[in-house]
Each structure stands twice: as C-alpha cells, then as structure tokens.
Amino acid sequence: MRRPDPYQERARELCLAAGVDPDSRVGEGRGQPAWCLYRDAARKEQLARATSELAREIANLRPQDECFKNAPLKIIGDHDAAIVAQMRNCMAVGNVVSGAICADGHLGYAQPVGGVIAYEKQISISGVGFDIGCGNMAVRLDTRFDDISAIVPTIIRDLTRTISFGVGRANAERAEHELFDDGDAWRESDMEAYRQKAVAQLGTVGSGNHYVDLMRDEDGFVWIGVHFGSRGLGHTSATRYLKAAGGKDGMNVPPAVVDEDSELCRRYIAAMQLAGRYANAGREWVVERIRQIIGGSVTERIHNHHNYAWRETHGGRDLWVVRKGATPAFPGQKGFVGGSMGDDAVILEGVDSPEAKASLYSTVHGAGRLFGRKEAKRRFTRVEMDRWLNERGVILIGADLDESPMAYRRLPEVLAQHAGTVKVLHTLRPFAVAMAGEGEFDPWKD
C-alpha cells in the first residue's frame, strides 16, 4: 500500500488559498491534481520549521566556545535556504573552524551532502555519515571503444552476472583481501563480530545512486568508473558509534560531535579507517573484475573517498576535515566525478587559489540531486528516461526513476560554480551503465 504524501494536506491548503481547486487536473494527458504544484512550497515550509526548531534545540546544548562561533562558511552555487540552514546548525556545535557547501549540495542526514566542516580536535560522526568511505574510482584502459563497440551488450550482461547489485547481497565469488587478516584493525574498531559478513559482501555494489559506468574519453579509450562505499560494515559501524555518542536519527538533528582524545572517538576513528580500507578494496575488486571482462591493461588510476574525516593542515592549524559527499581536491590531486546516468563524467584536478582554500580544498562528488527519490518518481516516466538514454547512446541495466537523469543537475553547470578551484583533464562519455534494479532500497548508503 502506498504511504500518504506527508506534504499533501498543506499543499491542498495552499492550493485552495490561491483560489484553485486542489483536485482539478493540470498538465498534459491525464495530468496530475493541481495540489501537486504546491507540494514543493509545502515541503519548504516544513523544512524551514524543522531547521528553526533544531536551531532552538542546539541553542540549549552545551554553549559553543566564543572562538568557534560564527565560523566562516563558503557557499558555492545556489542552494535552498533549508540546505544553508542545516549547514549553519551543524556549524553551531563543536570546535568548528570553517565550513563549505559544494555546488552539488542537498539535504542529508544531520549534515548536507556536499557539506565540509573543519574541526579542531573533534570529529562529527554524523558528518561522515552512514556510508563511511563511499567514493569514486576510475581507471583508463589501453582498450579503444571502437574495438569493443560491437560487443558492448555482451560486456554489460557479463558484468551484471559477475558483479552483485542490490541490498544485502553477498558476492557470488569470494573476494580475498589482506584486510581480513589484519586482526588489530578489527579489534581496535570493535567490529570483529562483523568480519565474516564483510568477507561475503566485499565487492558488492549496492543500490540507490551506486553504479558501474563504462565510458570513453576524447581519444577513444575505454574507462571504467564505479561509485559505492563500505556497505553493511560502514553502516553498522556508524550506527553503533552514533548511538554511543548520543546521536539522533533523522534529517534535522544535532550533529554527533566527539572529542578526538576520548576512548569513543579513538574507537570510531579505527572503525572509520577500517571501513575506508574496506570500501577501497571493494572498488578495486569490482574494477579489476570488469577489466578482465573487457580486456586490456590499466594506464591510469584515480581513486578517492567522499564520506570521511581527514587529518589536514589548513592555515597552519592541525584540523579534522569532515567531508560528506564532497571530494578532496588539493592542488594536483585528481578526482573522478560522475554525472547522472547518460551524462558525461569528468576527471578533474585541484588547483591552488583563494577560492580553493576557502572551500577547504574540496569539490563535488557528483552532479547533485534536484529532486528527492519520491519526487522524481512522481515527476518523471520511464519513457522519458529511456528516451534520454537512447538519444545519448547509453545501454542501461537496472535503475529506477529515482535515478533518472532529469532528477539531477547538469554536471558542467555544477563544475562552473567551482571555477578557479579545479580544472577538467578528461571528459568521459558513458556508453553503458549498470545499477541495482527497480524497487531496491539500500540502507547502507548516505
């Protein structure tokens, strides 16, 4: 049974107040009820109330030291007021030195996706989020697209038979890795009980916006790109330590910030680092298996996290920088950023500039959502999505309307907002995309 729309009642009230019958039909064909046009306004009202209530709750928490109040916030691109308010609420707790919102930012659990916060001697567990170490990896092969173009349908079918997509999946092929022999790492993180399940899940991709892309560059060479994280290991670790830190579940909740010299934080850091290594290992395994299917050798490799806390030096200060859905982009550091399915991806490199410093040397991890998952399913049709992909010559296996290209921003426009902080080295045109199938909900992502 379909759950009731949480914004319908207020949207109908707004529609009536505007002198419009909420049940009248608007739009082409069968259209939709007129109240649906007022849903976004009702949603923004609700978010504004929630962020205001959270600001009052935060004001009653332990007072923030004067030296950390009103820390500078770099806002890149245009964002809804609710996103900026969520970020400012995060920055009102703890030893915050500075923050940034990247141009692909949108609301996240406790902290915006695309949000970056630098702390002195503290880490935000909720800022790192549930999918610890989620990241992007891309490799360039010496294989040319023209040499495999006739067998792309076979390649993508073989890929989906080999790689497990979806929720709670175990890998059909056991993936061995030295990480599982590092007993100290599992003990220090207090995650020993999860080790065997982690072994079975290594190399599974998950669902939501997690994907495998096959692409070609300007010179016609094939690239493999993947986006996913630490699966159940990261989610279980985050859930455990959020609870231990007194964190709350939900969108507009106070951040769970812990002192670096506490026993809780030391164990959390160990768990975060373990999940990060696990996510890296999973992406490397998947990319290598796909390379074996396609053939050829790797000539370039780019790999980085975007849900993590890094120990970095900024302005001569030793800080913890928490990036949720944001990618490190220090001068000379390369990154792979995917667009939506069907849109070009890029290989970029960080550059030095005052703007880059103000953004804590951070950039986007994707194009960024325009519409939430439920809203995308209401707005768009499979016919529209298939037409978009066919026009671009992309073969798609899996995915649902919540990942429709129309639900996302256009990546070139997002990157333009980061002008002066990154430069594009390669533009990658996708020709095949694999994702989890329709109806999958993945609790192991953020």
Side-chain angles (χ1 to χ4, degrees):
M1 178 182 290
R2 177 177 292 181
R3 288 182 294 180
D5 189 312
Y7 307 111
Q8 178 174 350
E9 183 178 353
R10 180 55 180 158
R12 292 179 66 88
E13 292 173 356
L14 292 172
C15 192
L16 280 170
V20 178
D21 179 358
D23 296 314
S24 62
R25 309 296 292 188
V26 295
E28 298 179 0
R30 292 182 59 200
Q32 61 182 344
W35 68 263
C36 293
L37 300 179
Y38 295 80
R39 186 181 183 279
D40 192 50
R43 172 180 170 273
K44 288 180 179 179
E45 276 190 4
Q46 192 276 333
L47 288 173
R49 285 195 302 272
T51 52
S52 295
E53 290 169 3
L54 176 59
R56 289 192 292 271
E57 180 181 349
I58 287 174
N60 293 323
L61 297 175
R62 186 178 70 181
Q64 192 174 34
D65 291 348
E66 286 296 326
C67 61
F68 300 116
K69 287 183 177 179
N70 301 313
L73 171 61
K74 174 72 172 177
I75 302 174
I76 305 165
D78 298 322
H79 299 279
D80 285 347
I83 298 171
V84 178
Q86 186 184 49
M87 189 67 173
R88 292 197 184 281
N89 280 336
C90 285
M91 294 178 64
V93 177
N95 302 343
V96 175
V97 175
S98 64
I101 305 176
C102 294
D104 62 339
H106 55 89
L107 289 173
Y109 297 112
Q111 178 174 315
V113 176
V116 184
I117 301 179
Y119 294 91
E120 186 171 86
K121 298 182 179 181
Q122 289 181 331
I123 290 180
S124 171
I125 298 176
S126 52
V128 173
F130 288 101
D131 194 1
I132 301 171
C134 188
N136 294 341
M137 180 179 181
V139 300
R140 186 190 198 194
L141 304 180
D142 59 5
T143 305
R144 303 191 70 88
F145 173 72
D146 289 345
D147 294 334
I148 64 166
S149 59
I151 59 170
V152 168
T154 301
I155 289 173
I156 196 70
R157 282 196 298 271
D158 288 348
L159 186 159
T160 54
R161 291 192 192 105
T162 304
I163 308 300
S164 296
F165 293 81
V167 183
R169 303 295 173 84
N171 199 337
E173 179 181 342
R174 185 181 175 93
E176 302 289 346
H177 197 276
E178 61 186 15
L179 173 63
F180 300 122
D181 298 322
D182 188 349
D184 290 342
W186 293 91
R187 281 191 296 273
E188 290 167 8
S189 62
D190 198 23
M191 293 302 297
E192 275 191 293
Y194 202 90
R195 189 179 342 192
Q196 291 309 310
K197 188 176 288 188
V199 170
Q201 291 175 343
L202 185 69
T204 61
V205 174
S207 67
N209 63 345
H210 295 164
Y211 59 77
V212 171
D213 278 1
L214 302 183
M215 303 162 287
R216 62 185 185 272
D217 65 16
E218 309 90 338
D219 299 320
F221 287 103
V222 173
W223 287 73
I224 303 166
V226 300
H227 168 225
F228 63 94
S230 52
R231 313 300 297 123
L233 173 63
H235 188 275
T236 302
S237 300
T239 301
R240 172 178 297 175
Y241 286 101
L242 272 171
K243 183 178 180 180
K248 297 180 179 179
D249 189 25
M251 192 77 72
N252 282 297
V253 296
V257 178
V258 291
D259 294 332
E260 68 174 7
D261 58 358
S262 66
E263 178 64 21
L264 172 63
C265 190
R266 283 193 290 269
R267 286 194 173 276
Y268 172 72
I269 291 171
M272 179 188 72
Q273 292 173 342
L274 176 66
R277 292 169 62 191
Y278 181 83
N280 263 4
R283 290 188 290 266
E284 289 170 353
W285 188 90
V286 167
V287 167
E288 172 56 20
R289 291 298 286 113
I290 298 169
R291 184 203 64 77
Q292 292 173 16
I293 293 169
I294 296 173
S297 300
V298 174
T299 59
E300 187 171 1
R301 184 184 303 268
I302 293 113
H303 197 179
N304 39 44
H305 295 324
H306 49 245
N307 285 357
Y308 208 69
W310 288 262
R311 197 71 176 263
E312 298 173 358
T313 300
H314 293 269
R317 301 171 72 172
D318 185 21
L319 305 172
W320 283 102
V321 179
V322 176
R323 294 184 178 90
K324 188 193 201 84
T327 304
F330 284 89
Q333 184 177 12
K334 294 181 181 180
F336 162 57
V337 179
S340 66
M341 68 169 98
D343 279 350
D344 292 350
V346 297
I347 303 297
L348 49 74
E349 181 179 78
V351 300
D352 205 359
S353 68
E355 292 81 8
K357 291 178 182 177
S359 64
L360 294 163
Y361 293 105
S362 306
T363 194
V364 298
H365 82 301
R369 299 191 74 90
L370 283 170
F371 304 103
R373 298 187 180 281
K374 294 178 182 178
E375 182 66 15
K377 289 183 177 182
R378 274 188 286 267
R379 282 177 176 261
F380 308 120
T381 66
R382 187 78 194 199
V383 171
E384 291 173 317
M385 186 171 85
D386 290 345
R387 184 187 305 124
W388 181 292
L389 296 169
N390 289 336
E391 289 173 354
R392 288 158 177 78
V394 177
I395 297 175
L396 171 67
I397 292 185
D400 200 357
L401 284 173
D402 57 346
E403 284 299 314
S404 167
M406 297 86 77
Y408 283 84
R409 299 178 175 98
R410 306 278 68 83
L411 183 58
E413 297 171 8
V414 172
L415 291 172
Q417 300 290 336
H418 283 261
T421 66
V422 293
K423 63 179 179 182
V424 174
L425 303 179
H426 295 289
T427 299
L428 311 179
R429 176 63 54 89
F431 58 85
V433 177
M435 306 180 77
E438 181 178 353
E440 291 274 12
F441 170 74
D442 192 351
W444 297 336
K445 59 166 178 53
D446 200 7

